[in-house]
């Protein structure tokens, strides 16, 4: 190989690498599954021909509502609380999240819930397999809070804990999650 052929070969190899890897650039984030015909949404675990599906019991918000919610903008007339459930070892169970013992939203793995509440203190609780955990969330009108429901599912059992989070620190995981409920509980 002559000296004049080396730059051409290097350019050719670089070009082939770019052409070969460019289609993979869009595969860096896993796309969300489509909403079912009845409006429910199922999170898929596993890649086998018989994957585990965990589905919402009710219809999820529209794509437009989801896009608006994922901007993470506080509502000046309410306390806005996001419940994020998106950790790698999460259990594949539906976990209802109740607010002040009344209204509830069902969470599934890799899901997000937006709540608009009256300003003040509120109790958020999660219930699964006969157990529950509570967390207090408080704020004024115009405040935005994010709480994570951190679950783990192992052969010896399932457990969940609550953790406060900053919106900026969880935004990437929240963007990759499915909005499964949008509740306005101010009235």
């Amino acid at each position: 190989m002559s000296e004049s052929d080396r730059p051409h070969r290097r350019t050719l190899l670089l070009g082939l690498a770019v052409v070969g890897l460019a289609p993979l650039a869009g595969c860096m984030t896993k796309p969300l599954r489509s909403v079912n015909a009845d409006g429910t949404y199922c999170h898929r675990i596993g890649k086998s021909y018989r994957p585990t599906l965990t589905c919402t019991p009710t219809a999820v918000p529209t794509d437009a509502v989801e896009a608006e919610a994922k901007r993470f903008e506080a509502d000046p007339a309410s306390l806005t609380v996001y419940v994020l459930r998106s950790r790698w070892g999460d259990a594949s169970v539906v976990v209802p999240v109740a607010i002040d013992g009344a209204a509830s939203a069902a969470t599934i793995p890799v899901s997000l819930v937006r709540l608009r509440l009256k300003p003040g203190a509120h109790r958020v609780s999660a219930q699964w397999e006969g157990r529950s955990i509570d967390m207090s969330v408080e704020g004024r009108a115009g405040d935005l809070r994010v709480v994570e429901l951190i679950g783990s599912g192992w052969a010896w059992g399932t457990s969940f804990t609550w953790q406060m989070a900053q919106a900026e620190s969880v935004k990437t995981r929240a963007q990759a999650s499915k909005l499964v409920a949008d509740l306005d509980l101010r009235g």
Side-chain angles (χ1 to χ4, degrees), residues 136-183:
S136 293
V137 178
E138 62 182 85
R140 299 176 301 210
D143 286 350
L144 186 135
R145 302 282 186 261
V146 178
V147 293
E148 283 192 84
L149 181 57
I150 301 169
S152 60
W154 304 100
W156 53 86
T158 302
S159 66
F160 287 91
T161 59
W162 286 112
Q163 180 177 323
M164 291 295 291
Q166 296 296 319
E168 289 304 316
S169 68
V170 297
K171 214 174 236 187
T172 302
R173 283 187 291 126
Q175 293 294 337
S177 300
K178 181 67 176 170
L179 183 71
V180 294
D182 184 30
L183 303 177

Side-chain angles (χ1 to χ4, degrees), residues 12-131:
L12 178 64
L13 289 175
L14 180 62
L16 288 173
V18 168
V19 169
L21 295 175
L24 297 178
C27 298
M28 298 309 278
T29 58
K30 184 176 160 186
L32 294 174
R33 293 176 48 84
S34 299
V35 173
N36 299 327
D38 63 355
T40 60
Y41 176 79
C42 297
H43 174 72
R44 177 183 174 152
I45 299 172
K47 295 184 180 191
S48 70
Y49 70 97
R50 295 185 72 183
T52 301
L53 295 176
T54 305
C55 302
T56 60
T58 59
V60 298
T62 65
D63 290 342
V65 171
E66 181 169 6
E68 191 264 323
K70 287 184 175 180
R71 286 197 295 266
F72 284 92
E73 295 172 345
D75 182 343
S78 67
L79 166 62
T80 305
V81 177
Y82 284 89
V83 177
L84 176 64
R85 185 174 161 196
S86 181
R87 292 288 178 109
W88 71 270
D90 198 351
S92 61
V93 296
V94 176
V95 177
V97 172
I99 298 82
D100 297 326
S104 68
T107 66
I108 60 174
V110 193
S111 66
L112 182 68
V113 173
R114 179 173 66 170
L115 307 166
R116 283 170 287 197
L117 308 171
K118 292 179 185 176
H122 299 276
R123 186 183 59 148
V124 181
S125 61
Q127 298 113 16
W128 77 101
E129 298 172 356
R131 300 185 311 189

